[in-house]
Amino acid sequence: MLEQITNVLKFIQTTLIYIVYPPICPVCEEIVDERHQLCENCAKEIIKLDEEKPPAPISEVMRVTKYRKGTRRLLRALKFDNNTNVLNALQSILYGVSSRPEIDNFLAKVNLATYVPLHEKRFKKRGYNQTELIFKDWLLSKNVPAENLLIRTKATPHLYNYNPTERREILKGAFSLAEGVNVKGKNILIVDDIYTTGATTAGCAEVLKGAGASKIFVMALASDFGEDKIA
Ligand SMILES: [Zn+2]
């Protein structure tokens, strides 16, 4: 009972923080002039290509924003509290950097985008794939076609507590190609909400490569790239 009350209060608190004044930056939660606006610092620093070599067979990884106070609160609200009230704030991060040349250069390399899939059980429980909710309209606005190319055949635990080797082991055989999908010779963009070690997207990338995809790119809404601990 107490847990239920706490969850309801958290839901209301997160909703209020992002809907009632004062407007705050959805990444770092500093006060800004207008609702759903990135603060000056976040707008400047936000996009980054991972300088470390991503796990094979991924060619390049781009994160759109840092995993900070705001992104953490918003993503957790959408994933674990079923709070879709925060969706506008999350999407505003994408639209806030949409016109940056780094984004266009990156997207110009891909033919087709897909989302990291959820297992059917988690999808049913949550009611949506949060990554698809966040990215779908934005990808459309950038003229990048997106389809669900993959399915998650194995239910896997949340990966926070596992090291990179354990993650790869857990994710072995977790994904397969959706029916009727043809990715031969195409450069595919895998989109995810959070990028940490790349184990999940590498698992997806292996299946796509196995089906004849040419190059695999990854775009994540938030990542630490060694800057913040993701928890
Ligand atoms: Zn900020």
Side-chain angles (χ1 to χ4, degrees):
M1 185 65 182
L2 188 66
E3 198 190 334
Q4 277 171 325
I5 294 171
T6 316
N7 284 346
V8 170
L9 288 178
K10 204 165 87 186
F11 186 96
I12 295 169
Q13 185 203 27
T14 305
T15 303
L16 288 179
I17 284 174
Y18 277 89
I19 288 177
V20 179
Y21 263 83
I24 50 174
C25 170
V27 178
C28 69
E29 299 196 344
E30 288 288 314
I31 293 176
V32 287
D33 295 336
E34 279 176 51
R35 189 161 310 288
H36 298 153
Q37 181 189 38
L38 297 168
C39 76
E40 227 173 279
N41 276 345
C42 288
K44 239 189 300 179
E45 294 175 0
I46 208 159
I47 305 163
K48 197 173 174 185
L49 274 177
D50 194 359
E51 281 143 23
E52 280 178 38
K53 208 174 151 25
I58 300 167
S59 292
E60 270 182 76
V61 183
M62 173 179 267
R63 68 109 192 268
V64 178
T65 178
K66 290 178 183 178
Y67 196 68
R68 285 274 188 275
K69 199 175 170 190
T71 31
R72 180 177 191 275
R73 188 199 302 274
L74 293 167
L75 284 170
R76 290 181 75 92
L78 188 62
K79 285 168 84 162
F80 306 127
D81 308 334
N82 266 92
N83 189 349
T84 48
N85 293 328
V86 300
L87 198 55
N88 282 348
L90 283 165
Q91 287 168 332
S92 70
I93 299 170
L94 293 173
Y95 288 103
V97 296
S98 213
S99 57
R100 294 269 294 264
E102 300 99 306
I103 295 273
D104 286 332
N105 293 342
F106 188 73
L107 293 179
K109 298 173 196 169
V110 309
N111 307 117
L112 184 61
T114 195
Y115 313 102
V116 169
L118 301 183
H119 188 264
E120 201 186 346
K121 266 190 199 155
R122 192 167 286 167
F123 183 84
K124 275 196 180 142
K125 195 170 163 222
R126 196 171 288 166
Y128 48 79
N129 177 340
Q130 74 284 349
T131 306
E132 186 173 353
L133 276 196
I134 298 166
F135 277 90
K136 196 175 181 176
D137 290 348
W138 182 75
L139 286 169
L140 203 65
S141 79
K142 299 299 290 177
N143 295 316
V144 178
E147 277 174 44
N148 284 301
L149 303 175
L150 298 162
I151 49 173
R152 198 163 188 140
T153 45
K154 195 167 121 187
T156 50
H158 290 293
L159 298 173
Y160 311 127
N161 297 321
Y162 297 94
N163 69 36
T165 320
E166 289 167 336
R167 288 175 185 215
R168 290 298 279 248
E169 200 51 47
I170 290 168
L171 289 163
K172 239 181 214 159
F175 303 100
S176 66
L177 207 65
E179 233 178 74
V181 161
N182 181 3
V183 293
K184 274 199 181 81
K186 290 179 185 160
N187 290 339
I188 309 287
L189 174 68
I190 301 169
V191 183
D192 205 359
D193 54 353
I194 301 175
Y195 181 92
T196 43
T197 63
T200 307
T201 37
C204 294
E206 275 165 21
V207 174
L208 294 166
K209 280 294 257 191
S214 182
K215 281 188 173 176
I216 309 290
F217 297 87
V218 170
M219 179 179 260
L221 183 74
S223 173
D224 61 348
F225 286 166
E227 293 158 336
D228 296 87
K229 195 178 175 335
I230 290 184

